[in-house]
Amino acid sequence: MSGVVLWVVCPKEINTNSLVPLLPRNGVPIRRSKMWSSSSFSASKLSFSSGVSAYSGTVANPQRSSEEKVYEVVLKQAALVREQRITRKEKKALGLIETDKTTNWDLLNEAYDRCGEVCAEYAKTFYLGTLLMTPERRKAIWAIYVWCRRTDELVDGPNASHITPKALDRWENRLTDLFEGRPFDMYDAALSHTVSTYPVDIQPFKDMIEGMRLDLRKSRYKNFDELYLYCYYVAGTVGLMSVPVMGISPESKASTESVYNAALALGIANQLTNILRDVGEDARRGRIYLPQDELARAGLSDEDIFRGKVTDKWRSFMKGQIKRARMFFEEAEKGVAELNAASRWPVWASLLIYRQILDAIEVNDYDNFTKRAYVGKAKKFLSLPVSYARALIGPSTVS
């Protein structure tokens, strides 16, 4: 899976019957005509594609590759961003953007603070980077992060053995509710406010849940096209969720689609890195997230994976897999500089640190059966000033 850890527990009920509506009505239509409704909720204490070109075709076309299917989502999200920019500019010119007066900001801020606590505990380096963002963007990223962690935990957490497809269907229904202004608990409320504020489409969230469904029924991937789609579901989606919040620099000359492609590439790169790091751990659970056709061409089989012996064939195979992951990281780098200045550091830090896991696999002589590749605290610390320096470099002046 995506390698993040969270948990979903039965929330402790709190009385909110006397609360005014939690979420704002700011008069700025983004995607939906429904207004956010008052809702009681419960609280609990609680894992970015390369070089894709545009295409035309129908959804029913079975010949489309996974990259083409995913790019359709990219185009939709990019259109949402452009639409919101125009809408907000027009409304501001007409003086139609109003300050909301019905939101219970104390309660909403508490929900965001809880999300921040989860992020600080489980993603320390990334959390540190978010502190450089504006307060509004920072809180929104926390809310997205927590939802992704909770979703991942459904199939990778301590209660994963009890999760059924119906449970994921209920989680998706709950997602729809929060997008329509009916949050169930504090964490949902924070995300519900986020998606009402930024042009975030529901499709990447639904696609992440689809990735969880794949983990319930699928443990082999016959080729990279299949694996790419899985990587998009469980990790690439995070990039599409995050870019609308992180924002694109006003000075950027890059197309919106290219920035989203870079965000997507980072998610794919991170997930491929997770897969290569966790080969032994996944094999012990009966899962192999490696392209079956490429294993066969390398003269390897499932039995070789389960046996867990590092051979020359395995080293050669791993070199090719690592090279591919690095190509996605290189693709991701092209878009980071195009982000809003206050959002670049956490993304650069994540990219530079995660990419070093691939270096650690090489240092371990490609033994990802019995050794876990990781980046030590010292290397993480040294990566922070480097990532900060890169974050100071703004968008290219060339389109």
Side-chain angles (χ1 to χ4, degrees):
M1 261 306 303
S2 61
V4 294
V5 182
L6 71 134
W7 61 96
V8 179
V9 296
C10 295
K12 180 180 179 182
E13 297 294 335
I14 62 175
N15 183 7
T16 58
N17 293 333
S18 61
L19 297 178
V20 297
L22 175 68
L23 301 175
R25 300 177 175 85
N26 58 17
V28 184
I30 297 177
R31 306 171 301 287
R32 303 175 295 279
S33 59
K34 293 184 179 180
M35 303 300 289
W36 297 108
S37 62
S38 173
S39 174
S40 63
F41 59 89
S42 54
S44 61
K45 176 71 177 173
L46 286 169
S47 63
F48 288 69
S49 152
S50 63
V52 187
S53 58
Y55 71 95
S56 61
T58 62
V59 174
N61 183 1
Q63 302 303 317
R64 290 188 303 157
S65 69
S66 292
E67 290 197 26
E68 289 174 324
K69 295 174 185 175
V70 171
Y71 196 59
E72 186 175 83
V73 183
V74 171
L75 291 176
K76 182 180 179 182
Q77 179 65 82
L80 275 177
V81 173
R82 287 193 295 268
E83 178 185 344
Q84 193 213 35
R85 283 177 175 175
I86 295 172
T87 301
R88 289 188 64 85
K89 185 179 297 185
E90 290 176 345
K91 283 188 168 289
K92 186 175 182 180
L94 295 173
L96 297 178
I97 295 181
E98 303 174 357
T99 301
D100 174 68
K101 298 179 181 179
T102 61
T103 300
N104 187 321
W105 288 104
D106 288 340
L107 196 57
L108 185 58
N109 285 331
E110 182 182 353
Y112 276 123
D113 288 344
R114 293 284 186 88
C115 291
E117 290 171 6
V118 176
C119 187
E121 184 172 358
Y122 294 100
K124 293 179 176 61
T125 302
F126 181 76
Y127 173 79
L128 180 62
T130 64
L131 297 181
L132 291 182
M133 301 170 70
T134 63
E136 294 77 15
R137 294 182 191 274
R138 164 196 321 156
K139 291 177 179 179
I141 287 296
W142 291 345
I144 291 172
Y145 173 85
V146 168
W147 185 88
C148 292
R149 290 188 64 86
R150 299 175 84 185
T151 302
D152 183 76
E153 184 73 358
L154 292 173
V155 297
D156 269 0
N159 297 318
S161 60
H162 304 293
I163 295 298
T164 65
K166 286 186 177 181
L168 293 177
D169 290 343
R170 289 194 293 271
W171 187 249
E172 185 167 343
N173 291 336
R174 179 167 161 174
L175 171 70
T176 300
D177 285 343
L178 74 83
F179 260 80
E180 294 179 351
R182 299 188 298 274
F184 177 74
D185 64 13
M186 261 193 172
Y187 302 102
D188 284 357
L191 182 60
S192 193
H193 178 256
T194 291
V195 301
S196 75
T197 306
Y198 297 92
V200 182
D201 187 48
I202 195 173
Q203 192 59 50
F205 294 83
K206 287 186 173 183
D207 287 344
M208 177 171 277
I209 296 173
E210 186 60 30
M212 306 305 116
R213 292 191 178 100
L214 278 180
D215 268 329
L216 292 183
R217 67 174 186 263
K218 193 175 180 71
S219 60
R220 302 289 188 280
Y221 292 83
K222 64 181 182 181
N223 53 40
F224 184 70
D225 188 65
E226 282 194 359
L227 186 63
Y228 174 89
L229 188 59
Y230 172 76
C231 290
Y232 159 70
Y233 282 151
V234 301
T237 49
V238 180
L240 302 189
M241 298 172 191
S242 303
V243 171
V245 174
M246 291 185 168
I248 299 174
S249 172
E251 293 80 29
S252 175
K253 302 297 182 182
S255 68
T256 305
E257 290 85 352
S258 69
V259 177
Y260 274 91
N261 260 344
L264 179 62
L266 181 54
I268 301 295
N270 286 345
Q271 184 58 26
L272 290 175
T273 300
N274 286 337
I275 287 170
L276 299 180
R277 178 195 62 194
D278 298 338
V279 168
E281 179 182 329
D282 289 332
R284 288 187 284 276
R285 295 188 295 171
R287 298 178 181 179
I288 297 178
Y289 293 101
L290 298 168
Q292 292 286 305
D293 60 343
E294 295 178 21
L295 280 171
R297 286 198 294 271
L300 298 165
S301 64
D302 288 0
E303 287 67 29
D304 292 306
I305 306 297
F306 295 134
R307 190 178 300 115
K309 185 178 180 180
V310 178
T311 62
D312 288 341
K313 287 182 179 179
W314 178 252
R315 292 186 184 93
S316 178
F317 172 78
M318 282 300 302
K319 288 177 182 178
Q321 301 301 307
I322 290 174
K323 180 179 179 181
R324 173 190 282 145
R326 284 178 172 149
M327 288 174 61
F328 277 97
F329 277 121
E330 290 169 4
E331 184 70 21
E333 286 190 20
K334 298 176 183 178
V336 183
E338 309 299 330
L339 294 176
N340 184 281
S343 302
R344 293 177 203 141
W345 191 31
V347 180
W348 270 120
S350 172
L351 190 158
L352 295 179
I353 291 173
Y354 229 78
R355 188 165 57 188
Q356 291 181 66
I357 294 175
L358 299 174
D359 301 335
I361 293 174
E362 293 173 332
V363 170
N364 290 341
D365 192 29
Y366 305 99
D367 182 3
N368 42 8
F369 299 116
T370 63
K371 298 178 181 179
R372 183 177 177 84
Y374 68 95
V375 181
K377 291 183 179 180
K379 288 186 177 180
K380 286 183 179 180
F381 182 79
L382 291 174
S383 296
L384 294 180
V386 176
S387 58
Y388 183 74
R390 293 201 181 188
L392 296 177
I393 301 174
S396 169
T397 57
V398 180
S399 175

